[in-house]
Amino acid sequence: MIYVSVASFCDPFLEHTLLDAVTKASDPSGLVFGVIDQIPVARQDQLRQICQPAKLRYVQINPVDSRGVCWARSLAFSLYQDESFLLQIDSHMLFEPDWDQQLKAQWAALNRISNKPILSTYPYGFEFNQGQARVNITVSPSTTLVLRPQPDALLNDKSATLRFQAEHVFTREPVRGCHVAAGFIFTAGRFIEEIPYDPHLYFHGEEQNLAIRAFTHGWDIFHPPHIPLFHLYKRPNAEHNSHHWHPDWEKQRDFKFSQLNALAETRLMDLLYQQRDLGRYSLGTVRTLNDFAQLSGIHYALKKIIQPYQNESYFGTDEANIWDPNPS
């Protein structure tokens, strides 16, 4: 069984996402959706019909009461019931046929070299054109998308938050990673129990927190060369009603997103600079932040990036059919 964690905020594409996932799965009855639907009026019955024969666990939250994406994703994690796999996605996604079978095959190949593999990277985008969902980017047949800090990324005494970007690396093998994309994570279901979402985070720093805590607990991040799903990216520098911080929602709350953002920044610095004991949201003891610095080049104790990330890939051409379902 695959537990599919979905946190949705006033998203009109949620229904499309669930229907597309079910329709294109090789085993739709093996899916369990955990949906946190932050919307004024519940749509549980409608979504349950869309999800059949998959199962739906559903919680509706008034958007005014929501405290952000990490808080919502922590609620989604609480609906997990020992399913074998976890897929965390956003609520505006498009899928390839047999996406579930593809992800399981990729995970199984990585599980031969890692006891705790995670598949994650930023998916390619799609768009709606005259009501039809279409992929709007030509997927590269010769590269793998890896996640690295942006060239101008800096750490300082007031912030531990880094911005990351996807870069093309010329390999068609999985690449060891130091960062995750919160909108696409596929791994063993027990990840939810070992690396629970910290509900005190807000937005920025979410993926850093998750990646570093996973790494120090012994999990290995891999960027797969083939990603069997796509993401609907919002237009930059534009207001969207589906943003938690949109002014229409802000004016109805007794707290501000800037307050939540500041608390989250302090939380991240407590974790990475002070290495405070945050209970179940603390760093692990299997690996250290120095180990992470050797892998990623990001040295939180020195508050600087000390070296470029060294790419590592693990498989030869005999694995091509796993990473590319339709090899030429």
Side-chain angles (χ1 to χ4, degrees), residues 215-231:
F215 174 85
T216 57
H217 280 82
W219 294 78
D220 297 313
I221 301 165
F222 295 92
H223 304 313
H226 185 77
I227 312 159
L229 43 79
F230 304 87
H231 185 275

Side-chain angles (χ1 to χ4, degrees), residues 2-287:
I2 300 176
Y3 177 72
V4 186
S5 174
V6 188
S8 172
F9 188 87
C10 300
D11 195 337
F13 300 107
L14 173 62
E15 296 174 18
H16 172 272
T17 297
L18 300 184
L19 179 61
D20 203 61
V22 170
T23 302
K24 294 178 181 173
S26 60
D27 180 19
S29 63
L31 305 179
V32 178
F33 293 98
V35 175
I36 306 301
D37 198 9
Q38 300 157 97
I39 197 167
V41 179
R43 43 183 167 175
Q44 181 173 10
D45 293 342
Q46 184 176 353
L47 295 182
R48 194 175 301 282
Q49 177 125 23
I50 286 173
C51 288
Q52 292 180 1
K55 296 181 177 64
L56 174 68
R57 299 175 192 144
Y58 179 90
V59 175
Q60 182 255 339
I61 303 288
N62 191 307
V64 175
D65 299 322
S66 167
R67 299 189 70 85
V69 63
C70 293
W71 177 82
R73 281 178 168 150
S74 74
L75 291 179
F77 270 25
S78 75
L79 302 179
Y80 168 73
Q81 294 180 8
D82 296 321
E83 285 78 24
S84 299
F85 294 100
L86 162 70
L87 173 63
Q88 178 171 283
I89 58 173
D90 287 334
S91 51
H92 29 271
M93 308 292 286
L94 183 70
F95 296 79
E96 286 187 357
D98 300 325
W99 62 266
D100 51 336
Q101 187 177 43
Q102 292 184 49
L103 290 178
K104 287 180 183 179
Q106 292 184 20
W107 182 89
L110 291 170
N111 194 221
R112 297 203 296 269
I113 61 169
S114 169
N115 292 326
K116 296 180 176 181
I118 301 168
L119 282 77
S120 186
T121 194
Y122 296 145
Y124 287 97
F126 78 96
E127 62 184 12
F128 278 96
N129 187 355
Q130 297 182 343
Q132 296 295 316
R134 293 179 181 150
V135 174
N136 59 3
I137 294 176
T138 301
V139 177
S140 172
S142 58
T143 63
T144 294
L145 281 178
V146 301
L147 307 184
R148 301 288 180 262
Q150 292 185 358
D152 58 350
L154 295 173
L155 297 168
N156 57 61
D157 291 339
K158 295 183 179 180
S159 176
T161 303
L162 294 173
R163 300 186 77 87
F164 284 72
Q165 64 185 23
E167 300 176 2
H168 289 274
V169 172
F170 283 92
T171 179
R172 289 304 288 172
E173 301 173 4
V175 177
R176 181 81 180 274
C178 64
H179 195 62
V180 297
F184 167 49
I185 294 173
F186 185 81
T187 188
R190 62 194 172 105
F191 178 88
I192 289 176
E193 298 172 339
E194 288 193 30
I195 319 294
Y197 244 88
D198 189 338
H200 303 288
L201 298 177
Y202 182 61
F203 184 72
H204 294 304
E206 167 193 6
E207 295 167 331
Q208 280 174 266
N209 177 285
L210 210 61
I212 296 168
R213 287 172 53 220
F215 174 85
T216 57
H217 280 82
W219 294 78
D220 297 313
I221 301 165
F222 295 92
H223 304 313
H226 185 77
I227 312 159
L229 43 79
F230 304 87
H231 185 275
L232 182 64
Y233 290 99
K234 292 182 173 71
R235 288 179 290 109
N237 303 317
E239 286 191 353
H240 295 274
N241 190 56
S242 56
H243 280 153
H244 184 271
W245 52 86
H246 190 280
D248 288 348
W249 299 118
E250 276 281 283
K251 66 186 180 183
Q252 299 180 61
R253 298 187 179 117
D254 59 0
F255 57 88
K256 301 299 181 185
F257 90 91
S258 57
Q259 295 173 302
L260 298 179
N261 215 30
L263 290 171
E265 185 64 73
T266 299
R267 184 80 167 176
L268 192 63
M269 289 191 292
D270 284 345
L271 180 77
L272 300 179
Y273 289 170
Q274 309 301 328
Q275 297 188 43
R276 281 185 50 200
D277 182 358
L278 302 179
R280 63 199 302 251
Y281 309 113
S282 299
L283 297 172
T285 58
V286 178
R287 297 171 178 144

